[in-house]
């Protein structure tokens, strides 16, 4: 699925993918976040969707999280994808 915010030069078909376990999503005072797979900093759902970057890359502290995002080096471009299937009811 194409994303209007995705850079044109990113081949998302070749991107690394990971299946998220129930403990992969965390909640803070600011909302929900994941740990960035590259640098480990928080990656809020909002920043992934709007900026395609983790909070470490954006140098944005997440309220209530004890992770210092200053001087974090990260080059990861992030994308969330929801996959589903539906069984027809009989």
């Amino acid at each position: 699925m194409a994303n209007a915010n995705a850079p044109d030069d990113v081949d998302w078909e070749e991107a690394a993918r990971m299946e998220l376990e129930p403990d992969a999503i965390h909640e803070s005072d600011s909302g929900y976040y994941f740990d960035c797979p590259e640098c480990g900093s928080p990656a809020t759902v909002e920043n992934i969707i709007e900026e395609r970057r983790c909070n470490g890359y954006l140098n944005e502290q997440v309220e209530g999280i004890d992770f210092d995002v200053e001087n974090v080096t990260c080059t990861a471009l992030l994308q969330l994808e929801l996959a589903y299937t539906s069984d027809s009811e009989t």
Side-chain angles (χ1 to χ4, degrees):
M1 184 167 140
N3 183 326
N5 295 327
D8 293 332
D9 60 346
V10 174
D11 184 359
W12 288 107
E13 296 299 320
E14 295 295 320
R17 288 187 162 45
M18 57 190 280
E19 215 172 291
L20 299 174
E21 299 294 327
D23 61 348
I25 190 166
H26 312 289
E27 187 174 8
S28 73
D29 298 340
S30 305
Y32 294 100
Y33 70 95
F34 299 95
D35 297 326
C36 177
E38 183 173 316
C39 70
S41 72
T44 60
V45 172
E46 181 180 357
N47 280 343
I48 295 172
I49 292 170
E50 292 179 4
E51 305 290 339
R52 312 195 68 74
R53 299 293 188 160
C54 66
N55 288 51
Y57 176 89
L58 297 169
N59 198 27
E60 289 182 7
Q61 195 67 39
V62 177
E63 187 178 330
I65 304 301
D66 187 24
F67 188 99
D68 187 5
V69 298
E70 287 187 29
N71 302 318
V72 172
T73 302
C74 187
T75 61
L77 283 171
L78 304 171
Q79 174 174 290
L80 291 176
E81 182 177 87
L82 177 65
Y84 73 95
T85 184
S86 178
D87 293 332
S88 61
E89 294 184 29
T90 56

